Amino acid sequence: MTTARGPWLTDIAVGGFVGLDLAGRVAALASLVYFANLANGMTEADAVFIAAAALMSAFLLWRGGIPNATGTVQDEPVAILVSGLTAGLAASNTPEEAGLATVFLALGLTSALTGAALWLVGRFGFADLIRVLPYPVMAGSLASSGYLMVSAITERVLGLSIGTSLMPEVAAHFSWTVTLLSVTFAAAMFTVQRMRWSLFAPVLFVGTTLAFYGWLCLFDIGLEEMRAIGVLADAGVLGPVDIQIPMPFAWGGPVSWPARIAMTPSIFAASIVGCFAYLLTLGGVELATRRDVDLNCELRLTGGANLLSATLGAPPSYLSASTTVLAEQLGARSRATAAAVLAILLLGLLLAETVLPLVPPFVLIGMILTIGANLLWSWCLTQARRLPILDWFIVVTIVAITAIHGILSAILAGFLISFVIFALRYGRISVFRRAGDARSIRSTVDRSPAEERLLARHAHAIETMILRGYLFFGSVEQVVSRVRLRLASAPAPRAIILDFSQVNGIAPPACSALQKMATLCAEKGSELVATHLPREIKAAIETSSIPIGAPGGLLIEASTDEVLEAYENAL
């Protein structure tokens, strides 16, 4: 009896411990949305964020493939949305009373798009296709979200940017003392996490808050004095504490549609990065916990939870890698751990109105700085040791473009650069399985010694190239270069045979290259012959502008051996 109860109680204790850490990080993200956008109601944001994390945890507890998995609000989409929300609200001169509704509507739309994308991928069984997404683009997108998070909190809350802060009303309430305390706390938290002392992260969060109020009590310092010197925010800055979770698709609050339209690029970018983040997180947790999960099922589950949380105006949420892996390392591997985390989140939802206003702003700001710094460190700086130089260049380029033009432009540029680099790399792989004249590639016909000597003497007249792989503008250039080189020899070949038996596809630019080679051959009085054409490739060639069978065009034959025999007989 005791043996069975021991592990069960341990799992619950571990769940309660990691749940405190999770609740603290979720509260920090909620404060980022408030601080950076003047949404009138910090406690409402905190309640919505905790509700989203609790909802995701409940879904994972119900059907998740990893027993001790817990849910959390995604860091990356929140960081991206902060920039878009601030710019949209400022550009449209949104009144303060409409700010909160507009913010929650944008968050809900992002969750809806992310959830729909994940659910559709899982519904149609496309989970394996996501593995072909370029890793540098995903890493660069996540690193960029870290940059945006650090930028948002330093420029718009602490007012440390060059020029005028976009948030003078908020920054004015905090002093350089808050800045120093925030950076110190962030440095301590970052060090704890980098040293793999994740166990102490929640202790540091709770301990710093308790130590702050212990210091106030020890020296008999009142809260009003702290507000006067800018260490604590004014009560008015925190907004009303009457929590009413908004429903963006049914809530009657005023919404600034000009601001909503201005946020559209950020909403799409946040949804894309949110999907990237979830896919990488799921794969990492699967490896760390040594479990083989049904990816399509997990995608449907996470997508459904996000579609539901979208009605709360909550940001995208997904599997929490840090708490799940930490619980695994502490030996808590049952669903009791996830249930305990869910209970902590629900308790936090009930106590948000009372507890959140008591958390010192420098602790919340420090947590945000830590989350952003971790994203930059993990997905940009450490990738320099893991990725080839060109791939790391893509990561750094995406972060740089994000800083200048925004993350949506950066993601598109990253895909373009990845495509070019892939084409260059793939184009360097030899497209020839075999290539040579009649000395090395002959028909299977048995010849007399005299015929053998004659064919050897005129071997240059027949050039055969057995191709392989996928032909596109990068790889087909190898074929064009070899054809041009053979035609430049004297005398030029009588026939150049292209064997497609091991080619699995052809791109439109490669069809144009075939037409170019046919023209070059015609100018030299040579014939270009294609053999063993798969049905799809033959259809692609026939629908292009290449003349088939006409003088100066492309000849199509069924068998390379038969074509070789015919040209050998002609010799």
Side-chain angles (χ1 to χ4, degrees):
M1 194 75 159
T2 304
T3 305
R5 184 180 301 173
W8 184 69
L9 292 176
T10 300
D11 289 354
I12 292 178
V14 170
F17 185 75
V18 299
L20 290 175
D21 177 50
L22 180 60
R25 286 188 284 113
V26 171
L29 288 174
S31 66
L32 174 63
V33 173
Y34 161 73
F35 282 139
N37 296 285
L38 280 183
N40 186 25
M42 188 173 182
T43 46
E44 281 88 345
D46 187 62
V48 168
F49 276 52
I50 293 178
L55 182 62
M56 179 57 66
S57 297
F59 268 64
L60 293 173
L61 177 63
W62 171 46
R63 294 286 297 274
I66 301 175
N68 56 358
T70 57
T72 186
V73 171
Q74 286 189 337
D75 308 337
E76 302 82 7
V78 171
I80 296 168
L81 285 171
V82 162
S83 298
L85 290 171
T86 302
L89 292 174
S92 60
N93 296 317
T94 301
E96 186 173 338
E97 61 272 12
L100 186 61
T102 307
V103 167
F104 283 130
L105 177 61
L107 294 173
L109 288 174
T110 305
S111 290
L113 285 175
T114 305
L118 294 176
W119 188 87
L120 289 173
V121 171
R123 172 63 180 82
F124 293 102
F126 293 154
D128 291 335
L129 296 181
I130 61 179
R131 302 184 191 278
V132 304
L133 292 174
Y135 179 84
V137 176
M138 293 193 287
S141 302
L142 299 180
S144 295
S145 66
Y147 162 79
L148 291 174
M149 186 173 292
V150 174
S151 173
I153 204 67
T154 55
E155 295 181 7
R156 296 159 192 169
V157 178
L158 300 179
L160 299 182
S161 62
I162 300 175
T164 304
S165 171
L166 293 178
M167 296 300 299
E169 296 88 347
V170 174
H173 290 278
F174 301 114
S175 65
W176 280 96
T177 305
V178 172
T179 301
L180 180 61
L181 290 174
S182 301
V183 172
T184 302
F185 178 78
M189 184 68 76
F190 183 81
T191 302
V192 164
Q193 295 177 351
R194 289 301 102 200
M195 297 296 290
R196 301 186 184 279
W197 298 339
S198 300
L199 186 64
F200 297 99
V203 175
L204 183 60
F205 178 83
V206 176
T208 301
T209 302
L210 294 178
F212 172 74
Y213 283 102
W215 179 76
L216 295 184
C217 293
L218 180 64
F219 292 95
D220 195 24
I221 301 175
L223 298 182
E224 292 302 323
E225 295 180 59
M226 290 292 97
R227 293 191 179 102
I229 64 174
V231 175
L232 289 177
D234 292 340
V237 175
L238 289 177
V241 295
D242 180 21
I243 298 178
Q244 294 180 359
I245 297 179
M247 308 288 282
F249 301 115
W251 193 36
V255 172
S256 173
W257 289 106
R260 160 65 191 85
I261 295 172
M263 297 173 193
T264 300
S266 295
I267 291 174
F268 278 104
S271 299
I272 294 171
V273 175
C275 292
F276 287 171
Y278 174 67
L279 299 175
L280 290 173
T281 298
L282 182 59
V285 172
E286 189 180 22
L287 292 175
T289 59
R290 296 180 177 85
R291 288 186 174 89
D292 183 25
V293 300
D294 185 342
L295 294 181
N296 288 311
C297 180
E298 296 294 322
L299 286 167
R300 292 194 301 271
L301 187 70
T302 303
N306 275 282
L307 289 172
L308 186 58
S309 64
T311 62
L312 301 176
S317 55
Y318 62 176
L319 172 72
S320 172
S322 58
T323 54
T324 302
V325 173
L326 178 59
E328 186 80 13
Q329 293 171 347
L330 295 176
R333 299 181 174 89
S334 71
R335 295 195 183 273
T337 303
V341 172
L342 177 60
I344 292 294
L345 291 174
L346 294 176
L347 182 63
L349 183 61
L350 294 175
L351 299 179
E353 178 180 347
T354 304
V355 175
L356 184 63
L358 298 178
V359 179
F362 72 83
V363 173
L364 296 175
I365 295 172
M367 285 290 292
I368 296 169
L369 289 173
T370 304
I371 295 171
N374 274 324
L375 288 170
L376 274 171
W377 177 270
S378 301
W379 296 109
C380 183
L381 299 180
T382 60
Q383 298 300 320
R385 301 193 304 267
R386 302 173 182 173
L387 296 176
I389 186 65
L390 285 178
D391 289 346
W392 189 66
F393 167 76
I394 296 175
V395 175
V396 175
T397 300
I398 290 175
V399 176
I401 295 176
T402 297
I404 301 172
H405 296 293
I407 193 167
L408 189 58
S409 300
I411 293 174
L412 295 176
F415 273 110
L416 178 61
I417 297 172
S418 295
F419 175 74
V420 172
I421 292 177
F422 169 78
L424 292 174
R425 286 173 173 169
Y426 194 86
R428 288 200 296 266
I429 300 175
S430 178
V431 75
F432 303 106
R433 183 179 180 275
R434 289 181 64 194
D437 57 23
R439 283 186 295 249
S440 58
I441 302 178
R442 294 265 300 276
S443 69
T444 57
V445 176
D446 292 328
R447 304 284 183 182
S448 66
E451 290 174 332
E452 292 286 351
R453 289 192 295 271
L454 179 63
L455 289 176
R457 193 160 53 246
H458 298 281
H460 63 275
I462 307 173
E463 176 76 14
T464 304
M465 305 177 193
I466 303 177
L467 310 179
R468 65 180 178 182
Y470 185 81
L471 298 182
F472 68 110
F473 70 89
S475 59
V476 78
E477 190 59 33
Q478 298 179 39
V479 185
V480 175
S481 297
R482 186 176 180 90
V483 168
R484 187 182 285 114
L485 181 64
R486 292 295 291 114
L487 291 174
S489 62
R494 181 173 179 178
I496 296 180
I497 304 169
L498 302 180
D499 186 320
F500 284 78
S501 58
Q502 298 186 34
V503 176
N504 52 35
I506 186 169
C511 292
S512 300
L514 284 176
Q515 183 176 1
K516 179 179 180 180
M517 287 185 282
T519 302
L520 292 173
C521 289
E523 292 175 353
K524 293 291 186 176
S526 303
E527 295 178 338
L528 184 66
V529 185
T531 63
H532 292 293
L533 285 172
R535 182 183 307 170
E536 296 81 4
I537 297 178
K538 185 177 180 180
I541 292 175
E542 289 175 344
T543 54
S544 65
S545 57
I546 304 175
I548 305 297
L554 178 68
L555 302 178
I556 296 180
E557 301 292 344
S559 169
T560 299
D561 190 68
E562 293 177 358
V563 173
L564 283 171
E565 180 182 355
Y567 281 108
E568 290 169 3
N569 291 337
L571 290 177

